[in-house]
Amino acid sequence: MASIEVRELSKTYRVARKEPGLLGTLRHFFRRSYSDIQAVKGISFTIEPGEVVGFLGPNGAGKTTALKMLTGLIHPSSGTVRVAGYTPFDRSAAFLQQITLVMGQKQQLIWDLPALDSMRINAAVYRIDRSEFQARLEELSSMLGVADHLRQPVRKLSLGERMKVELMAALLHRPSILFLDEPTLGLDVNAQSAVREFLRQYNARYNATILLTSHYMADITALCRRVLVIHHGKLMYDGKLDHLVERFAPYREVTLELNQGVSEEVLSQYGEIESVEGCEVRLIVRRENLTPTVVRLLRDLDVQDLTVAEPPIEPIIGRLFEQGIES
Amino acid sequence: MIRYIHALTLFWSTAIGAEMEYRTNFIIATLTSLLGLVGAIFTLSLFYQEDYAFAGWSWQEAMLVLGFYTVLEGVSASFLAPNLSRIVNHVRDGTLDFVLLKPIDSQFWLSLRNCSPWGLSSMVVGVAMIIYGGTQRQPDPLPLYAYLQGIIPAMLGIVVLYSIWFVLGATTIWFVKIYNATEALRAVLEAGRFPIQGYVGVWRSVLTFVIPVAFMTTVPAEAMLGRATWSWMVAAALLAVGLFTASRLFWRFALRYYTSASS
């Protein structure tokens, strides 16, 4: 059975419109005009147990709305969702025992008390008995390296420590399906990689399914082999991350170190010039032309060194969101 | 059931723990609460000086109504307000999401997650007033079983108040700011200080049937005095059960419209 199965899922919001200014406010108070916003438009996909899938899209693409429908927080306008065999919006206890939602910008821990107090409440709510609770506490706190922080009031923790402790509280009931909405938001590089490493371990240890949104591409490239790209509420791409790069950025970056300077006019015959700094030149070359171009470069020019690299993923995704994807 | 009781003990011990986290605040709040108690006793002494009777209620009998009102105030301060006035924040900050994702009844969580020790003094004073009114009653003091007779309708009154308050809180799902609505409710409740018979005709009907304040204080006092007829008691029970059921149905209905705060 698939972990997550989504068919033709849509969500339409009704939003009140208000003109600026006093007159607009008055008019808004007496007679509201509404317009419908389609946040998610007929998306379909299936995720198997143990998969780690990245959910990509610019702000307002519909990611969070989709996650909320998958966790049963909001009711779909149309379409069907099955998660772990359940219909999320019923929010049956058996379903809720199997999932978790972590939101980078919201917190569930009690601000003024040590995290341990919040976790004891979670243990009671999820029916985890005392010895099991202790065992999981030790396991998770050693995986995350937060054993020292569980007895301090949450408000005294740094952002990175708090996020790790939040993750711990969210995973105490050992869910098999994790929905993570920007879990590394605002964290420094070290804390980000610690969270990533933890998620990788958790996935490997419990064969947990993870659906993750992040604005940090490093999270996605480190954890996800498969990505879903959503734009304007539509699913634009579903497949391997590598293929996404191949398909939307079928280029290679060729870096040359020349023994003598060559005019840009000459260089532009070989590919698109990305930069020229003295004798160091970067060219963008279409993948299918790569071999003949490299042969020509080596033959025609006085080359000291030549390297071929994949272009960095971040600008590709950025360009993708800007232009939209024309499949 | 055991899960709920276990959860409840943890809820309340952590809530008290959170209140005690700020020591200065804790001390100040204790003092405030003691001062409030002194104020209440002073008000009472003012009543004593006049030879006061009220629409067929002797002064000692009216004291029972005031006692029930004070207990109710304490229950509100300790159990209702700390939870129900927080529903707004849950909706606005989007933390209601976390509540809804717990495998526990969300109404249970929202209604009982917190408690505060600050209503305790009112509850103690209220009970003292009820005992005082009962023992000083003319011509005879009330028998012991009269107090038991008062407890049931008092409990029903608390259920009635809770249900109305919760429904008002639940409307947050549509109108995020509803502080005003709950303030209005509290203002209307003030009317419960005095026996319902003290109000002129129209108001008496409004306070009995529209906002059932009469059932929260006057009916328990009448039950203690042996004046409440069976039909009033049955009405109180039906009202409590009906409103509580309505609050549950309303919550379920409201959740369908919940779209959660923007991320």
Side-chain angles (χ1 to χ4, degrees):
Chain A
M1 184 183 64
S3 277
I4 302 173
E5 229 180 317
V6 174
R7 290 282 159 271
E8 292 298 318
L9 186 65
S10 297
K11 178 72 188 179
T12 308
Y13 286 117
R14 240 180 140 211
V15 184
R17 290 202 171 277
K18 178 186 166 305
E19 298 297 320
L22 182 64
L23 199 66
T25 305
L26 284 174
R27 206 176 288 148
H28 181 70
F29 187 81
F30 288 109
R31 200 172 53 193
R32 301 213 164 170
S33 58
Y34 293 94
S35 58
D36 288 340
I37 291 187
Q38 260 203 306
V40 174
K41 301 173 190 164
I43 61 175
S44 304
F45 58 87
T46 305
I47 297 177
E48 297 301 326
E51 272 193 280
V52 183
V53 178
F55 206 15
L56 301 179
N59 288 330
K63 294 178 306 234
T64 304
T65 304
L67 279 186
K68 284 183 173 171
M69 286 192 278
L70 290 173
T71 48
L73 285 171
I74 58 178
H75 198 263
S77 303
S78 66
T80 58
V81 187
R82 304 284 287 174
V83 174
Y86 298 92
T87 302
F89 196 70
D90 297 342
R91 283 201 301 276
S92 69
F95 164 71
L96 296 174
Q97 287 273 354
Q98 291 197 39
I99 64 150
T100 199
L101 172 66
V102 175
M103 292 175 276
Q105 69 280 66
K106 293 177 191 172
Q107 56 149 11
Q108 64 162 322
L109 298 171
I110 307 166
W111 188 244
D112 287 324
L113 291 179
L116 209 49
D117 280 311
S118 301
M119 294 198 202
R120 284 174 62 207
I121 289 182
N122 278 5
V125 167
Y126 286 103
R127 281 198 258 207
I128 303 165
D129 67 38
R130 198 178 283 264
S131 58
E132 184 62 32
F133 174 61
Q134 276 307 326
R136 290 188 192 181
L137 214 55
E138 273 161 36
E139 185 193 7
L140 288 171
S141 61
S142 74
M143 278 167 90
L144 281 159
V146 289
D148 302 338
H149 305 309
L150 297 179
R151 287 184 168 76
Q152 293 166 8
V154 172
R155 64 169 192 278
K156 300 256 169 80
L157 300 179
S158 74
L159 186 62
E161 289 159 358
R162 207 165 73 216
M163 195 60 227
K164 288 182 197 167
V165 178
E166 276 286 339
L167 264 174
M168 215 178 134
L171 297 175
L172 204 60
H173 59 289
R174 204 167 282 169
S176 58
I177 303 176
L178 279 57
F179 297 97
L180 309 173
D181 195 8
E182 305 278 351
T184 53
L185 194 72
L187 302 189
D188 66 32
V189 181
N190 288 336
Q192 274 183 32
S193 68
V195 166
R196 254 174 243 145
E197 185 49 39
F198 168 75
L199 291 173
R200 203 206 322 265
Q201 278 182 37
Y202 187 91
N203 164 258
R205 203 174 284 191
Y206 301 113
N207 194 35
T209 310
I210 299 179
L211 184 58
L212 165 95
T213 79
S214 180
H215 280 112
Y216 303 112
M217 276 315 293
D219 286 348
I220 306 291
T221 48
L223 289 168
C224 314
R225 289 177 51 204
R226 175 178 167 198
V227 293
L228 301 171
V229 179
I230 184 169
H231 194 57
H232 293 311
K234 278 194 183 147
L235 189 64
M236 307 305 270
Y237 178 82
D238 175 358
K240 289 200 168 138
L241 183 60
D242 309 349
H243 290 178
L244 178 75
V245 176
E246 291 301 335
R247 187 158 143 206
F248 296 105
Y251 312 104
R252 287 290 181 270
E253 192 181 65
V254 178
T255 308
L256 297 167
E257 233 171 273
L258 302 171
N259 285 323
Q260 58 213 33
V262 178
S263 74
E264 294 199 8
E265 203 181 320
V266 176
L267 287 170
S268 62
Q269 294 168 6
Y270 300 96
E272 193 186 321
I273 301 170
E274 199 186 9
S275 70
V276 182
E277 275 170 46
C279 290
E280 193 177 296
V281 178
R282 283 168 197 270
L283 296 172
I284 301 288
V285 179
R286 287 195 75 83
R287 204 158 45 95
E288 63 265 28
N289 299 336
L290 186 66
T291 316
T293 307
V294 169
V295 170
R296 276 171 56 216
L297 281 167
L298 290 172
R299 191 186 61 208
D300 300 351
L301 304 175
D302 187 0
V303 177
Q304 193 182 46
D305 191 16
L306 183 149
T307 47
V308 177
E310 276 194 18
I313 189 163
E314 201 116 6
I316 298 175
I317 301 287
R319 213 178 309 148
L320 212 68
F321 290 161
E322 239 164 61
Q323 300 163 352
I325 302 170
E326 313 301 333
S327 327
Chain B
M1 195 60 196
I2 292 166
R3 151 152 65 170
Y4 282 80
I5 293 166
H6 186 195
L8 197 59
T9 45
L10 282 170
F11 283 177
W12 288 354
S13 60
T14 51
I16 304 273
E19 290 273 358
M20 292 177 72
E21 178 66 22
Y22 297 97
R23 273 181 285 186
T24 329
N25 188 49
F26 189 84
I27 291 164
I28 291 173
T30 312
L31 287 176
T32 317
S33 158
L34 284 173
L35 279 176
L37 200 149
V38 172
I41 291 168
F42 177 70
T43 317
L44 276 180
S45 72
L46 291 181
F47 272 109
Y48 263 117
Q49 288 165 2
E50 316 277 318
D51 195 15
Y52 175 73
F54 196 86
W57 290 70
S58 73
W59 147 237
Q60 288 86 351
E61 291 166 351
M63 176 80 91
L64 295 177
V65 176
L66 194 54
F68 278 114
Y69 175 80
T70 311
V71 171
L72 200 64
E73 222 177 32
V75 171
S76 309
S78 271
F79 300 102
L80 302 181
N83 291 298
L84 303 179
S85 49
R86 233 170 260 196
I87 298 178
V88 173
N89 302 345
H90 275 307
V91 173
R92 205 182 36 207
D93 304 340
T95 44
L96 184 57
D97 292 351
F98 289 121
V99 179
L100 297 179
L101 291 180
K102 296 271 187 297
I104 195 164
D105 188 90
S106 56
Q107 187 172 355
F108 169 80
W109 177 291
L110 289 174
S111 305
L112 294 167
R113 173 65 189 81
N114 284 293
C115 73
S116 131
W118 313 127
L120 200 63
S121 58
S122 294
M123 285 186 254
V124 171
V125 173
V127 169
M129 286 164 82
I130 292 169
I131 292 170
Y132 180 83
T135 50
Q136 297 299 307
R137 184 185 175 241
Q138 305 298 327
D140 304 309
L142 290 175
L144 201 58
Y145 70 81
Y147 297 94
L148 293 176
Q149 279 179 349
I151 289 176
I152 295 165
M155 298 282 214
L156 294 174
I158 292 170
V159 174
V160 168
L161 176 59
Y162 159 79
S163 307
I164 296 174
W165 202 335
F166 184 83
V167 167
L168 274 180
T171 55
T172 319
I173 301 259
W174 292 275
F175 321 104
V176 175
K177 280 187 193 161
I178 54 132
Y179 289 115
N180 298 342
T182 50
E183 279 311 305
L185 176 69
R186 289 189 122 169
V188 173
L189 283 182
E190 294 275 321
R193 280 178 192 276
F194 308 109
I196 199 76
Q197 288 80 359
Y199 295 92
V200 292
V202 179
W203 283 110
R204 200 183 305 168
S205 314
V206 169
L207 293 174
T208 310
F209 302 111
V210 183
I211 310 128
V213 173
F215 287 93
M216 297 174 201
T217 56
T218 304
V219 171
E222 284 181 325
M224 274 188 78
L225 295 165
R227 285 192 209 149
T229 57
W230 274 109
S231 53
W232 274 101
M233 296 293 268
V234 171
L238 286 178
L239 185 72
V241 172
L243 282 176
F244 183 74
T245 313
S247 80
R248 291 198 65 78
L249 292 176
F250 187 75
W251 180 238
R252 231 185 281 166
F253 171 71
L255 281 185
R256 264 197 103 85
Y257 285 86
Y258 174 65
T259 47
S260 114
S262 172
S263 55

